[in-house]
Amino acid sequence: MEHPIPSRILVFGGTGYIGKYLVQASVSMAHPTLVYARPSSPLTPPANLKLRDRFRSIGVTIIEGTLEEHEKLVSTMKVVDVVISALPYPKVLDQLKIIDAIVVAGNIKRFVPSDFGCEEDRISALPPFEAVLEKKRKVRRAVEEAGIPFTYISGNCCGAYFVNLLLHPHEKSRDDVVVYGTGEAKAVFNHEEDVAQSTIRAAVDPRARNRLVVCRPLKNAISQLDLLSLWEKKTGRSFEKRFLPDEELVRLSNTLPDPENIPVSILHAIFVRGGTVGFELGKDDIEASEFYPDLKFATVDDILEVFLRPGAPEPYRGNFK
Ligand SMILES: NC(=O)c1ccc[n+]([C@@H]2O[C@H](COP(=O)([O-])OP(=O)(O)OC[C@H]3O[C@@H](n4cnc5c(N)ncnc54)[C@H](OP(=O)(O)O)[C@@H]3O)[C@@H](O)[C@H]2O)c1
């Protein structure tokens, strides 16, 4: 791997599910790393405070502030080169405040907005997920209109996140799995660390300026049924399949209250419509595993292995509120 000149990287949402992998990856590549986090208070979860301490211990600077503090945002921008946002879905439009601050500061070399999932400019989904994607698209269009250099990252299915969701490996006594659609559509699973490493590499790479980076190693495209068979082989167990067909997912997306209608619509987009594999990359798009071959993306088999070890990643419930 070439050694890029260290860039000062600021991460929003750095204590979150995706954010912590990004911070870790940035530090591992020797970039001076800063996290903009909400002011700690008695309501801040202990795990969040512990993570801030761990980050400080590896040299990360924690800046406490809110997204409403424009002056603080601008002064923070002025001491960094690259801004990466991993804010949760409900705060997606608040990134417009980050964009305003980047414009005023005028020195940011790259902005990576909070995407990391399905490629929002290339897929269409049921209305609840479409509304999420539309907000993310709105942020991208604002970035472009402001003339801010960007890199967009599509991470597809975060491996540990989706293995927990689909196979619930921590529920040892459960012997059923829900299969979405027919279970035959392929989806791309990437280890969170690989998505994070790709993000940091691209965020400081002049070749990735104003380009889309999709994490889509072909070896990691697998159907839900094949994923389950692989898991059955590894665990020596067999699971009853409970199919949730296309029409039922559509019905749930129409009848569940907001925001509970979002996860079923995401599952529909990925596992019924095949949204992570169903489009060709454009000539300017970057496929991360080909572009950074030394990253050696973990395979689906490697990702499942993680769940056979003690201390396997616990499920994360997502933040749709
Ligand atoms: N591809 C996938 O499989 C996948 C999976 C999960 C998420 N994602 C995407 O990744 C991105 C990040 O999501 P996430 O689930 O990692 O986020 P998250 O963990 O829910 O939140 C990230 C951080 O944002 C801060 N935050 C939370 N609520 C906030 C609020 N109301 N106001 C201001 N800050 C708030 C918190 O940090 P502080 O309190 O320390 O400030 C939190 O740790 C999103 O775009 C999401 O759609 C993709």
Side-chain angles (χ1 to χ4, degrees):
M1 161 190 167
E2 79 276 23
H3 289 283
I5 299 162
S7 294
R8 294 162 299 177
I9 296 183
L10 173 67
V11 184
F12 287 85
T15 58
Y17 183 74
I18 301 291
K20 64 179 181 297
Y21 288 100
L22 293 168
V23 171
Q24 203 73 55
S26 175
V27 171
S28 76
M29 292 180 213
H31 297 296
T33 306
L34 298 82
V35 169
Y36 194 92
R38 286 177 292 183
S40 49
S41 78
L43 295 178
T44 308
N48 182 310
L49 295 174
K50 211 168 146 192
L51 188 55
R52 291 181 194 201
D53 283 342
R54 190 165 73 72
F55 283 163
R56 286 188 189 99
S57 76
I58 56 172
V60 174
T61 303
I62 308 284
I63 295 170
E64 294 197 349
T66 68
L67 297 171
E68 281 63 48
E69 291 174 272
H70 177 72
E71 293 308 323
K72 184 177 265 185
L73 284 176
V74 173
S75 59
T76 306
M77 300 299 171
K78 284 191 174 155
V79 297
V80 300
D81 308 298
V82 169
V83 177
I84 301 177
S85 167
L87 286 173
Y89 156 66
K91 302 305 284 179
V92 161
L93 288 181
D94 286 62
Q95 293 178 106
L96 299 175
K97 296 170 190 157
I98 298 176
I99 292 171
D100 286 345
I102 290 176
V103 169
V104 174
N107 60 299
I108 294 302
K109 296 194 184 76
R110 196 73 58 84
F111 176 49
V112 180
S114 186
D115 296 326
F116 304 111
C118 292
E119 175 36 38
E120 63 243 35
D121 281 328
R122 306 288 169 84
I123 69 160
S124 69
L126 295 173
F129 187 31
E130 192 60 31
V132 172
L133 297 171
E134 197 45 41
K135 286 185 186 166
K136 289 189 169 187
R137 290 178 195 129
K138 191 171 174 184
V139 170
R140 285 188 177 183
R141 303 298 83 85
V143 170
E144 290 155 13
E145 205 170 304
I148 298 168
F150 62 82
T151 298
Y152 300 144
I153 308 286
S154 166
N156 290 317
C157 299
C158 283
Y161 184 94
F162 271 86
V163 166
N164 269 316
L165 187 85
L166 298 174
L167 303 175
H168 38 79
H170 290 282
E171 295 175 56
K172 303 278 185 245
S173 60
R174 196 168 152 184
D175 57 8
D176 70 300
V177 295
V178 178
V179 178
Y180 300 96
T182 62
E184 286 161 345
K186 285 191 174 180
V188 178
F189 294 79
N190 292 310
H191 195 293
E192 283 78 347
E193 283 174 15
D194 294 326
V195 174
Q197 295 265 339
S198 304
T199 303
I200 303 299
R201 290 285 287 274
V204 299
D205 185 343
R207 299 170 302 162
R209 186 179 191 270
N210 294 350
R211 289 174 81 181
L212 167 67
V213 176
V214 180
C215 301
R216 192 160 80 174
L218 288 180
K219 64 180 182 183
N220 286 13
I222 184 171
S223 74
Q224 232 192 304
L225 292 179
D226 286 343
L227 179 74
L228 178 59
S229 301
L230 203 53
W231 183 237
E232 287 184 324
K233 268 192 214 121
K234 283 196 170 293
T235 56
R237 298 173 62 195
S238 64
F239 295 87
E240 182 201 339
K241 300 179 193 78
R242 291 197 295 113
F243 285 86
L244 201 56
D246 182 354
E247 316 78 65
E248 183 57 9
L249 286 163
V250 173
R251 191 188 68 75
L252 288 170
S253 82
N254 284 327
T255 52
L256 285 172
D258 185 45
E260 287 159 45
N261 52 6
I262 298 175
V264 288
S265 316
I266 295 176
L267 292 165
H268 184 271
I270 296 172
F271 298 111
V272 174
R273 292 197 181 169
T276 63
V277 287
F279 62 91
E280 297 294 322
L281 297 191
K283 67 174 175 35
D284 289 332
D285 301 336
I286 291 171
E287 196 289 301
S289 67
E290 276 177 14
F291 207 65
Y292 300 117
D294 57 298
L295 283 185
K296 311 238 181 302
F297 272 55
T299 62
V300 173
D301 195 84
D302 297 332
I303 296 168
L304 290 179
E305 280 293 324
V306 172
F307 285 89
L308 299 176
R309 297 187 208 131
E314 291 284 342
Y316 176 76
R317 300 281 170 212
N319 184 348
F320 291 107
K321 295 197 184 66

